[in-house]
Amino acid sequence: MKTYERAFWPFLLPALLVYTLLFVAPSLFGIWVSFTRWSGPGSEMAWRGLDNYVALLHNEVFATAFTNTFVMAIVGGALIFGFTFLSMVVLRQLKGRAFIRAVVFLPMVISIIAIGAAVGFLLNPEGAVNTVLEWSGLDPQPWLGPEMVFRCIVGGLVWSSTGFYVALMMSAADAIPAHVYEDAQLIGATKWEQFRHITLPLTWDVFAVSAVLWVVGSLKIFDIVLAFTTAGTAAAPPIPARTIAVQQFIVVKGAGLPDLGSAAAMGVMTLLVTAVLIVLTRRITRRDRVELS
Amino acid sequence: MRKLTVVLLIGALGLAACGKKNSGESAQQSLSYRSSWGAAEPQAKIIKTIFDDFAKETGTKVDVKFVGRTGNENLNAEMASGQGPDLFDTTTGDIDTLTAQQLIGPMDDLENTQIPGEGKTVKEVLPEPVRRASSGKNGLAYVPHTIISTAVWYNAAEHPGLNPQTWEEFIAFLDESKKAGRTPIGQDGTIAFYNVFWFYSLLVGANGAGSLAELAKDPANWDKPQVLDTAEKVEQLAKGGYFQRDFMATKFPAAQNAWAQGKYDLNINGTWLASEVQPQLAPGFKVASFQMPAGGKRSIEVGTLGWAVNAKGKNVATAKKFLAFALQKKYMEQFSTVALNISSRGDVPAPAHMADVQKAVLEAKETHLSYDYAGADKTWWGDMFLPLNDRLLSGKIDATAFVREGKKRTAQHLATG
């Protein structure tokens, strides 16, 4: 016991120092900045108390960004995991499933710059999608206009993220021994029943982790919004397409003085929301672990 | 406990070693520059030549890096902490930020410095509107090499000498184009700061510097008749069906490229347009421009791009010496002949397609800064004004609603700001 105690500090301290210096201190500093008006190093910092937060609560644009972020987390999440579960039902015994999995995963690998370029080519008023619609006698749509762009971004997000979760969940499903399914088939279980009673319970842990990963990631969604809107320019994405992270970027990087106080306040609010959502997600996904004996 | 002391000591030594790096001074003059131009851009090649010549003639050790637009995001923070290059790129729109962060210092000594071999001072070769566009509240903020402005662009091979002098003449051209089955205007409508070119050029062109920026400062300014009048003109454009189909859903740069291909007659844009669409230009296309026929004061936009001296850099004096050196005519000419832009020197002719703009700038009795500097209040500009203008230009609201909403929201913004 004595030796343990002696070794405790020398081993812990370097990590603790690095962690405090590079993470805890900057985080606390960020919280401090959220109570000030500040344009960055070199400029004067003025105390504002809760004014940054109050201004955000009154700001309609921030409200839109906030709602959009939530919709992405929840609707996007539902679609992604819906597709993931569906592919687990369909793909499990399919021949060439490794290939299909690779294809589904591919969008994850494509650079967001390339996606941005492709979006213009596909979804512009004179783009490929509208051209096909016109050939088939349907009306072309203003995909990237203020009314539809957000839905297109959610679609793009689902397209680019689903592969990751399919890969994650399928690898967990692959670990389930084949004889369990053989038994189920013998007693006449349908594919859906096999999924419901075997695959899902036995991969639930991985799903719980995936759900948390998705929630954390979705609250930081940024680059895909730019890819669908103003990529290649210094312009701010249109309001209907903005997320919290995009709004944060705009107040720091857009025209005029950076407003780090407001950006930090957005960060603190996101942090709080993330914490609440993670607790909720963990609650919803909490089950007793199922183990094969 | 002794071990704890050892660990702390090692940590402290490590930090001390990190800090040591900058304290070394060398006898030889040196100068560093980190550029927001990409190495392949013509500007980068010109700037590289100037640095090479400067190194050769003065024996200065130069360290020049071209990192491009996206490689310089942390530049301001770096410079504020005493790191960062001696020289960097900047534009009119950044002056306030740099001044507030105390990253740029006084330049009046440089203004009176002689340009090598020319017998003229820096101040003498830069026309007054150009100096004004490169100055902040403490005077000259940086040394400009390029003038930027806004104009309506067209193909002079198709419409030789097009230059409507009044709003009515302008609308007549649009109607005639439409009647002939063409699309009068191509607009990349997803870019809000391109959409606002119409309102901004008309309002500030007619009423002069400050007439747009003042809308952010007092809701009462929205009641001035010129605001409604300008909004009605933009409404007329929106309702007239002069833009391409679904232009608000057009992702940059589709519209400007299609314009360069001859699909649309006009495109309102900055002086960078011609070089951006160069590879797309249809054979025989002759790029030319006219100023928005705003009437009134006929104020012309003048913005600049240039080099700033990092006030916290180690070689401020050498950096200023370099700037006087770089302003030599033989180098500034290349910004026109090679980079195809308007050089900041009044005595260097612009490329043919920009002669109209240069003439407008040099002959202007009144000038204003890019976007009338209205973006300075970024929440007002980005969250309120640009989206409101988008709704006007896309025909979602009319001019009266635009003024009413603008006034109301400006009051709200100022109350909660």
Side-chain angles (χ1 to χ4, degrees), chain B residues 55 65 111 139 157 163 196 209 232 318 391 408:
Chain B
K65 285 193 185 74
E111 279 190 284
N163 190 8
V196 84
E232 279 170 347
T318 318
R391 286 165 64 204
K408 192 180 93 192

Side-chain angles (χ1 to χ4, degrees), chain A residues 6-19:
Chain A
R6 280 230 310 268
F8 183 74
W9 281 108
F11 272 97
L12 181 69
L13 209 69
L16 196 66
L17 269 180
V18 169
Y19 189 72

Side-chain angles (χ1 to χ4, degrees), chain A residues 13 39 41 43 48 60-61 116 124-126 134 140 144-145 147 227 233-235 239 242 247 251 253-258, chain B residues 4 7 73 80 96-97 100-102 190-191 193 245-246 248-252 254 263 375 378 382-383 387 396 409 417:
Chain A
L13 209 69
S39 306
S43 60
R48 290 198 84 199
E60 283 173 36
V61 179
N124 258 326
E126 321 263 305
E134 277 178 321
L144 301 174
E147 288 84 13
T233 72
I239 290 176
R242 290 187 195 171
Q247 188 64 13
V251 301
K253 273 288 163 192
L257 287 179
Chain B
L4 175 66
V7 171
E73 270 98 356
D96 274 0
T97 308
Q101 299 187 340
Q102 299 173 19
T190 47
I191 307 298
F193 62 51
R245 189 190 74 193
D246 287 337
M248 288 300 287
T250 304
K251 192 169 188 282
F252 171 88
K263 277 187 79 176
K378 60 169 48 181
D383 289 355
K396 293 262 164 15
R409 283 162 182 254

Side-chain angles (χ1 to χ4, degrees), chain A residues 41-52:
Chain A
S43 60
E44 274 179 34
M45 199 188 257
W47 182 256
R48 290 198 84 199
L50 287 173
D51 285 3
N52 285 329

